[in-house]
Amino acid sequence: MSTFVAVPNWSTVDDLVALARRSRQRSFPLVDLDGRPTGAVTLAALAGVPESDRPTARLREIAQPAVKVPVTTPDTVLADVLAQGLPASVILVVEDGRLVGLLTAEDIGRALDLARLTSGQPVPPGATTVTG
C-alpha cells in the first residue's frame, strides 16, 4: 500500500490543487467527517475545473463516487480485487468502514512483478506492468 493523504470531501478544488502541488499522489481519496470514503478525485479531474470555479467548487461535486471506486480490505488477496475488472487509478483499502490504505497502479504492478519473481517465472527486461 502507498502512503497517502485523504482529503475531506467538503474541501474546495483550490484546496486540493494546493495540496497536490506538494504531493506525489495522482489520485486522492475523499472522506467524510467520520473517515469513511466517499469517492476519489484525480489530478485530471482537477484540471477539468475552470480556474474561476476552483475557489468555490467542492471536491464532492467532481469526485468519482465511492460506489464506482474499487474497495478492498487489508486481508483480501490482490488477485480477487483485480478480478473485479473495475478500471481505476486507485483502490481504496477499507477496514470497519474507515479508509486505512490506498493501492495505486504502481503498487499493483510491483506486487505482480514480485509474484513473478517468487513463482520462478522470469520477468522479461522492460516488461510492462499495470502502470504501463
Side-chain angles (χ1 to χ4, degrees), residues 40-105:
V41 174
T42 63
L43 292 178
L46 293 177
V49 178
E51 286 189 43
S52 59
D53 294 341
R54 292 177 183 177
T56 57
R58 300 288 171 190
L59 295 176
R60 65 178 161 255
E61 297 166 355
I62 65 163
Q64 183 176 25
V67 295
K68 293 188 176 184
V69 179
V71 175
T72 190
T73 60
D75 57 347
T76 302
V77 176
L78 180 59
D80 294 340
V81 176
L82 297 177
Q84 295 176 25
L86 297 170
S89 55
V90 296
I91 298 172
L92 304 179
V93 181
V94 177
E95 189 170 43
D96 297 326
R98 296 179 54 95
L99 184 68
V100 296
L102 182 74
L103 287 173
T104 65

Side-chain angles (χ1 to χ4, degrees), residues 4-11 28-40 59-60 92 94 97-100:
F4 71 98
V5 175
V7 183
N9 65 3
W10 61 89
S11 300
F28 295 84
L30 301 183
V31 294
D32 64 13
L33 285 169
D34 296 319
R36 292 184 304 251
T38 62
L59 295 176
R60 65 178 161 255
L92 304 179
V94 177
R98 296 179 54 95
L99 184 68
V100 296

Side-chain angles (χ1 to χ4, degrees), residues 107-127:
D107 295 328
I108 294 166
R110 184 172 189 281
L112 293 173
D113 287 346
L114 289 172
R116 286 188 203 117
L117 291 173
T118 318
S119 69
Q121 297 176 8
V123 178

